[in-house]
Amino acid sequence: MIRKLIFTIFLIICSSVLYAQTEPPESVTSKFYFPALIGVGIPLDNDNTILKHGSILNTALEFRPVYVNAFFFRFNYDALNNSYVSAPINLPTNVVKGKVSATFFLAGGGYRWHFKNLGIYALMQPGLGMRNFNKAIVTNDGIAIEDVTKDSFSTKTSVGFEYYIVKHFALIAEPSFYKLFSGRGFNNTHSQVSSLSIGITTTLF
C-alpha cells in the first residue's frame, strides 16, 4: 500500500514538471538549470584505511548562456558519506571504526554537445573539499569524541549523459572523479573518489 502511494505521488510530481516544461519561457530564467542527483561514491587509493562504498548527493546551479552546443558554467555542492575500518598507522584519528563525510564546494565550466534528444557534456570544477570524522580525546571527565574537519583544494571532473524528455527537462547519468590535494587528508594521501550519479536537470520556471 505504501509503495503504491509513493509511486503515485512520484508520477504526479513528474507529470506536473513535464506539463510545466511543455511551453518553456524564453527568458533569463530559462538559462538557469538546477541539476539534482544521487549516487554511489567509490573511494580509491586507501593505503591505511578501508573505506566502504558510500552515498553521494549532488546539488548544483548551472548557467547556460546558450542552450546547447556551447560552453556552460556550474556551481556544485556535493556531499559524500562513507563508513571505514582503519589500521591506526599514520592516521589523524584513533577511532578505528566510524564514518567520514566529505563536502565539496566547486565552481567551473564545461561544454555540452546535443544530438536530437541526447546531450553529452564534459565538466571541470576546482574548489574546496572538507572531510569530517571523529577522534577520541582524553578529558578530565574521561574520554570524549570530538569532530575533526580537514579541508583542502579539490577538483571534480565529470562526463554527463542527458536524455531530454522536453526542451528544459532531462534525465542525467554522471560519472565523476574527485581529488583532494592534501597530505593532510583522512588517510594522509591525496584522497581520490570516483562516483556514479543519476538524476534530473530542469529550469525553475
Side-chain angles (χ1 to χ4, degrees), residues 110-186:
Y111 192 91
R112 175 176 282 101
W113 296 266
H114 193 246
F115 310 94
K116 295 184 179 180
N117 289 341
L118 300 178
I120 301 175
Y121 62 82
L123 176 65
M124 177 68 178
Q125 296 170 286
L128 176 67
M130 297 181 291
R131 282 199 159 183
N132 180 269
F133 51 91
N134 293 325
K135 184 175 182 179
I137 60 171
V138 178
T139 68
N140 293 332
D141 298 322
I143 297 177
I145 301 296
E146 69 172 359
D147 289 330
V148 178
T149 300
K150 293 185 178 293
D151 55 73
S152 67
F153 173 73
S154 302
T155 60
K156 176 185 178 183
T157 307
S158 307
V159 176
F161 303 91
E162 303 169 321
Y163 178 75
Y164 286 85
I165 299 177
V166 291
K167 183 175 181 180
H168 294 296
F169 182 87
L171 305 177
I172 312 171
E174 185 182 278
S176 300
F177 176 76
Y178 297 84
K179 189 172 183 66
L180 293 91
F181 292 86
S182 173
R184 301 182 298 110
F186 178 73

Side-chain angles (χ1 to χ4, degrees), residues 86-104:
S86 301
I89 304 173
N90 298 323
L91 296 178
T93 179
N94 48 9
V95 179
V96 297
K97 289 185 179 181
K99 294 184 180 296
V100 56
S101 60
T103 303
F104 294 89

Side-chain angles (χ1 to χ4, degrees), residues 31 33 62-68 72 112 162 164 201:
K31 297 181 182 294
Y33 286 74
E62 179 178 306
F63 176 65
R64 302 187 191 180
V66 178
Y67 175 53
V68 289
F72 66 95
R112 175 176 282 101
E162 303 169 321
Y164 286 85
T201 184

Side-chain angles (χ1 to χ4, degrees), residues 47-61:
D47 298 331
N48 298 309
T49 308
I50 301 175
L51 279 171
K52 299 180 180 179
H53 294 182
S55 61
I56 180 169
L57 173 66
N58 307 104
T59 56
L61 170 63

Side-chain angles (χ1 to χ4, degrees), residues 69-82:
N69 294 318
F71 287 98
F72 66 95
F73 306 93
R74 184 186 290 185
F75 170 79
N76 262 69
Y77 170 79
D78 295 351
L80 289 75
N81 291 281
N82 301 88

